């Protein structure tokens, strides 16, 4: 991720690392990704909405962060 929008929105997130619970997390609504494809060509792509939230959630895992680290509320049972 090389950029994220100033526009954010709260959303309820759960995680397989913490089964049965979910919490409210504020995430950027648009992100810009830079990566290399299977032929090693550099690509830049803008992702928005729920897909952007998923990328941020999974990128957090790579950095050792869980959604519980990004919420001020105690997780509650998933609905």
């Amino acid at each position: 991720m090389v950029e994220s929008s100033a526009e954010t929105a709260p959303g309820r997130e759960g995680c397989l690392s913490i089964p049965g619970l979910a919490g409210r997390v504020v995430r950027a609504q648009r992100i810009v990704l830079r990566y290399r494809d299977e032929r090693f060509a550099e690509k830049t792509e803008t992702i928005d909405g729920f897909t952007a939230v998923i990328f941020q959630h999974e990128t957090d895992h790579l950095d050792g962060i869980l959604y519980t680290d990004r919420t001020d509320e105690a997780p509650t049972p998933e609905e």
Side-chain angles (χ1 to χ4, degrees):
M1 278 189 301
V2 295
E3 190 177 315
S4 59
S5 68
E7 178 190 357
T8 61
R12 206 151 149 77
E13 288 187 26
C15 184
L16 295 174
S17 298
I18 308 170
L21 297 175
R24 186 176 153 273
V25 180
V26 176
R27 299 276 190 190
Q29 293 302 289
R30 179 172 290 118
I31 59 172
V32 178
L33 305 174
R34 185 172 299 136
Y35 62 94
R36 292 188 182 273
D37 69 12
E38 65 279 356
R39 296 177 187 209
F40 300 100
E42 189 170 290
K43 304 282 185 175
T44 301
E45 190 171 344
T46 300
I47 309 288
D48 58 10
F50 187 61
T51 304
V53 170
I54 293 167
F55 268 90
Q56 291 168 84
H57 177 104
E58 297 305 330
T59 299
D60 276 352
H61 280 303
L62 296 174
D63 294 330
I65 298 169
L66 295 175
Y67 79 89
T68 53
D69 298 318
R70 296 207 180 272
T71 184
D72 294 333
E73 304 170 349
T76 56
E78 288 182 310
E79 298 171 353

